[in-house]
Amino acid sequence: MLKYIIQRLLAMIVTLFMIATITFFLMHAVPGGPFASEQKVPPEVQKALEDKYHLNDPVIKQYFDYMSGLIRFDLGPSFKFKGVTVNSLIQRGFPVSAKLGIFSVLAILVLGIPLGVIAALKHNKWQDTCVRFTATIGITVPSFVIATVLLYIFALKLRILPSFGIETWKGYVLPVAALSGYSVSFVARLTRSSLLEVFRQDYMRTARAKGLGESKILIKHGLKNALIPIVTVLGPLIAGLLTGSFVIESIFAIPGMGGYFVNAISNRDYTVIMGITVFYAAFLLIMIFIVDLIYGLLDPRIKLGK
Amino acid sequence: MEDNILEIKNLSTSFFTHLGEVKAVRDVSFSVEKGKVLGIVGESGSGKSVTALSCMRILQEPGRIVGGEILFKGEDLGKKSNKEMRAIRGNDISMIFQNPMSSMNAVLRVGDQLTEPLMEHTSISKKDAMKRAAELLSLVQIPDAEKRLRAYPHEFSGGMRQRAMIAMALACDPELLIADEPTTALDVTTQSQIIKLLSDIREKLGMSIILITHDLGVVAEICDSVVVMYGSMIMEEAPVDDIFHNACHPYTLGLLNSIPVVTGDSKNTRLEPIPGTPPNLLQPPPGCPFAPRCAYAMKVCTEKAPQNTQISDNHRSMCWLLHEDAPDNFLKRGNPIVR
């Protein structure tokens, strides 16, 4: 087991290294740079700026400089925010995004999975139809539309929730609803179909033939089997939710990572792009790793490290 | 009456699908004597398993019992509440299934699954239940039982899994064990071991068994009496000897003829299958379900369902040929198919 974990960690480092390399060269292949704005800057000033940030060095040298920083977890200074390092930018933005994300993950656990269970238990009854209908809307309607509609109803018409900011708990309600709408719906549908599949299995009939109660059959025999595909999607879904959504963060004026990331791309803020990409990739890899570990716990047929 | 542990009277079960009502079991009656083994034979889709599932009342939607009585020790199971039924399942009546590979839950330890009926129906402690589970595994001849309890089903072979399933079914000393094709998914050697095990256990514990199978060899080995089903109805019911030596229904005879016989003679070893396919149970034929495939079918066979003819006390057959007005009465003439 320990050997397996070490192997996986090494593989993750290799993957991260490749992601960083590809992103670095793709980014530099795009024309323009952080200081090439519409505003005409005197050539001497631009040159001085570029020299300061070593942008006139050959790309290969810049690459090795960056990578040697990365190894020391130094993501470099931001080109656009004077005197701010990328590390501090992530330290500032990530907790905000993550807090929003954690609430969304909770929404998946307390809403998505139970709704899917109810729909499966009441297969083809009105409860099932309701869940399926709402979940289909949640999956197909983009989050910014959901956000706008929610804002219109709850902030503008009913005036019970604020339209921006996360100073109080009330501020979280709308962004979390808009952010988690898709994931909750997706997980509800997946739970439903996964459970319906499990209900048809022979071992469920065996459990019934033993005289077990329906709730025991559902929880002990049904859910543990049905959870396997759900856990698969939960990993990347959680990584995506925790690292922030640009759309939701800009609609609700939340200073999270998503906003920094998108702005960095339009600004060609090289170090910020690199830093957030590597951070997001590392996070995703860790989540996938955790999913694999949970697999091993759920299904004894999956032997890790063999 | 007291001799019969289970009496099924005019049981009908249907599946209400989008296409219409599929009549999977039609007007089936039979009884199981205490301590005896009843075999139910018939080809796939003849309603054997649905009859068994109806007895346990564990039919899956959209299946429903539409008529008849299931008398277990004189009490109609059809009238029991779900809660009362749960107390019977796995306790008084238990069941083992066709596919031991998928009938055990792959994510739970064998021991956990074995102790489940004990924990459900008795007030035994977990520790004692485990001890009892180990005994059960030894009873079904799985060596090293205590260690095996900690294993997962995928670490068992097919035969071992079916043994474990049997152990599970025996956990609460049931009075009736329903075995739904327990050997179909196993290889031949394992098959005979499992059948031997079942008959040993029957002798040791004295319970009654309903054995569903399409293997007449298995029937010959352990059954006391046999019910032959076709197209969701009972064609013939008789003691095991009568089925093999005095079969009266053309379908039973057809089944007997499709048993491969191993002889030294290289000639004459071709199987004689019954031509045709089973009836569509969405629109079952109005007459005898077997009539379209029956070599002896008469006009009346396709028009009216045949009545039961009592051949002896415990031998009955449902065929127009046995009617006293039939031109060529089987009974007078003897079996037309000579083996």
Side-chain angles (χ1 to χ4, degrees), chain A residues 48-64:
Chain A
L49 273 170
E50 288 178 347
D51 277 347
K52 186 185 173 216
Y53 291 108
H54 307 287
L55 285 171
N56 289 328
D57 291 350
V59 177
I60 284 292
K61 182 167 183 300
Q62 290 184 40
Y63 170 71
F64 283 112

Side-chain angles (χ1 to χ4, degrees), chain A residues 176-190:
Chain A
V176 166
L179 181 64
S180 64
Y182 171 83
S183 319
V184 168
S185 310
F186 186 68
V187 168
R189 283 199 72 121
L190 189 68

Side-chain angles (χ1 to χ4, degrees), chain B residues 138-298:
Chain B
S138 317
L139 180 72
V140 296
Q141 293 155 20
I142 291 181
D144 215 0
E146 253 157 71
K147 227 176 96 198
R148 296 290 190 181
L149 286 176
R150 296 189 46 76
Y152 285 98
H154 70 277
E155 293 162 312
F156 275 28
S157 70
M160 273 167 78
R161 273 188 239 185
Q162 194 59 292
R163 283 167 195 272
M165 286 294 293
I166 293 172
M168 219 180 276
L170 296 177
C172 295
D173 282 321
E175 293 175 69
L176 176 65
L177 173 70
I178 303 177
D180 187 0
E181 307 208 29
T183 58
T184 308
L186 304 172
D187 66 73
V188 186
T189 348
T190 321
Q191 277 183 16
S192 64
Q193 287 167 3
I194 294 288
I195 292 301
K196 172 123 197 333
L197 177 69
L198 277 177
S199 86
D200 286 353
I201 282 168
R202 200 259 309 229
E203 255 165 52
K204 214 178 276 176
L205 307 176
M207 83 263 258
S208 318
I209 299 180
I210 296 180
L211 181 75
I212 295 169
T213 180
H214 48 234
D215 186 343
L216 284 167
V218 168
V219 168
E221 239 170 293
I222 74 164
C223 291
D224 298 302
S225 57
V226 184
V227 165
V228 179
M229 282 188 81
Y230 182 82
S232 68
M233 291 168 125
I234 292 186
M235 298 284 104
E236 186 161 14
E237 182 187 3
V240 69
D241 285 344
D242 283 2
I243 282 290
F244 284 97
H245 302 296
N246 189 25
C248 291
H249 197 285
Y251 179 63
T252 314
L253 292 164
L255 279 185
L256 290 168
N257 269 336
S258 22
I259 303 176
V261 183
V262 184
T263 57
D265 193 359
S266 61
K267 283 180 239 158
N268 225 353
T269 48
R270 276 183 74 93
L271 281 182
E272 266 187 61
I274 307 172
T277 50
N280 176 3
L281 296 177
L282 262 176
Q283 288 119 12
C288 171
F290 187 58
R293 299 171 72 184
C294 180
Y296 310 96
M298 304 172 292

Side-chain angles (χ1 to χ4, degrees), chain A residues 199 202 206 209-210 220-221 225, chain B residues 90 102-103 105 113 116 121:
Chain A
F199 284 161
D202 289 348
T206 310
K210 284 177 189 171
K220 194 169 169 190
H221 290 269
N225 280 287
Chain B
S102 57
S103 294
N105 192 336
Q113 301 188 53
E116 260 180 345
H121 299 296

